[in-house]
């Protein structure tokens, strides 16, 4: 308390530095003050390392979310320009969309919060997930022109090209597994997250894209 009794500092000593615990304390205090207003108008401000971490993390998470959405739109435009086709642009985005939905859905389902490592890695999801789709669609288009048949092109795709995509995904996914042995939780999160992205994006590419190519091709359906 200052000598003129105009300012006071209340120090809360916590046994945990977890941001979620600090957020619960802040929420509880604000709710208490809202239901039990002081007799005089006072200004209450928070300080401390734990609270600054919350503010910083919230700003980063919201910023990364906006970046992810804007990058998603930019990648879609790039796919349309690359393939010179809206159809193939949409097809190229589907493995990416399914991968992001499944991975982030699993994170929420297991109760993992959208923390800093997850927010930062969300930008990498775009590049890693779209890579296999570009290779698959481009090679499938080339084989379809050579064979004049989508079905023959897909048969050829599941020889060397698909084997290369599968092996690429396995090698990179396994390459991140040593991070699971790290004593630091963020490193374990990175290992699981990136390995899951590689495995899921390759699986969706090799299963979903051939089915959608046949479904969107009248000749192949006949």
């Amino acid at each position: 308390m200052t000598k003129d009794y105009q300012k006071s500092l209340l120090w809360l000593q916590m046994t945990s530095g977890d941001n979620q615990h600090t957020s619960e304390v802040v929420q509880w205090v604000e709710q208490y003050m809202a239901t039990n207003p002081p007799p005089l108008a006072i200004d209450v401000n928070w300080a401390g390392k734990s609270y600054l971490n919350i503010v910083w993390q919230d700003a980063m998470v919201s910023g990364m979310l906006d970046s992810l959405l804007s990058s998603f739109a930019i990648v879609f435009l790039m796919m349309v320009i690359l393939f010179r086709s809206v159809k193939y642009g949409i097809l190229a985005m589907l493995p990416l969309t399914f991968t992001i939905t499944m991975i982030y859905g699993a994170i929420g389902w297991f109760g993992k919060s959208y923390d800093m490592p997850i927010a930062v890695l969300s930008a990498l999801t775009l590049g890693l997930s779209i890579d296999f789709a570009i290779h698959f669609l481009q090679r499938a288009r080339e084989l379809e022109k050579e064979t004049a048949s989508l079905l023959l092109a897909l048969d050829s795709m599941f020889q060397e090209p698909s084997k290369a995509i599968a092996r690429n995904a396995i090698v990179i996914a396994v390459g991140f597994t040593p991070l699971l042995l790290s004593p630091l939780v963020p490193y374990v999160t990175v290992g699981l997250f990136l390995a899951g992205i590689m495995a899921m994006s390759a699986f969706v590419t090799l299963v979903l894209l051939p089915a959608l190519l046949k479904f969107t091709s009248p000749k192949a359906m006949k």
Side-chain angles (χ1 to χ4, degrees):
M1 183 75 68
T2 57
K3 292 182 179 181
D4 58 359
Y5 296 98
Q6 296 300 308
K7 295 181 180 180
S8 177
L9 174 64
L10 179 61
W11 185 10
L12 303 179
Q13 179 111 20
M14 301 179 61
T15 60
S16 171
D18 194 329
N19 287 354
Q20 293 184 358
H21 296 164
T22 306
S23 298
E24 292 175 359
V25 172
V26 172
Q27 184 178 4
W28 185 89
V29 172
E30 291 178 349
Q31 289 179 351
Y32 181 86
M33 294 191 64
T35 55
N36 301 274
L40 299 176
I42 60 175
D43 295 327
V44 178
N45 298 309
W46 290 89
K49 182 178 179 181
S50 297
Y51 182 74
L52 292 178
N53 286 338
I54 295 175
V55 176
W56 175 72
Q57 180 168 297
D58 289 342
M60 285 293 294
V61 168
S62 60
M64 291 302 298
L65 183 59
D66 295 338
S67 175
L68 178 64
L69 295 176
S70 59
S71 298
F72 190 90
I74 293 174
V75 171
F76 173 68
L77 293 177
M78 292 175 62
M79 291 302 100
V80 173
I81 296 173
L82 175 66
F83 292 110
R84 294 179 178 83
S85 170
V86 176
K87 168 189 169 181
Y88 277 88
I90 295 175
L91 290 176
M93 296 299 293
L94 288 178
L96 183 153
T97 305
F98 273 78
T99 300
I100 292 177
T101 303
M102 292 178 183
I103 294 296
Y104 280 87
I107 290 173
W109 191 70
F110 282 109
K112 175 69 176 176
S113 59
Y114 188 78
D115 54 11
M116 183 56 57
I118 300 299
V120 173
L121 290 173
S122 62
L124 296 178
T125 309
L126 293 168
L128 293 175
S129 300
I130 199 68
D131 187 47
F132 294 142
I134 295 174
H135 292 307
F136 188 94
L137 291 175
Q138 182 61 30
R139 185 58 180 154
R141 292 180 71 182
E142 293 175 355
L143 291 173
E144 185 178 5
K145 292 179 180 179
E146 294 176 5
T147 60
S149 171
L150 178 61
L151 295 180
L152 294 177
L154 292 178
D155 288 338
S156 300
M157 278 298 300
F158 280 92
Q159 301 299 322
E160 293 300 326
S162 292
K163 289 181 181 179
I165 292 176
R167 290 171 181 173
N168 187 10
I170 292 173
V171 169
I172 297 178
V174 173
F176 285 112
T177 53
L179 291 175
L180 304 181
L181 304 177
S182 173
L184 297 177
V185 176
Y187 283 2
V188 177
T189 301
V190 170
L192 286 173
F193 194 80
L194 293 179
I197 290 173
M198 298 304 300
M200 184 62 66
S201 60
F203 176 78
V204 174
T205 297
L206 297 177
V207 174
L208 181 65
L209 288 186
L212 290 177
L213 285 173
K214 291 179 64 177
F215 181 76
T216 55
S217 177
K219 295 180 179 180
M221 290 298 292
K222 290 180 181 180

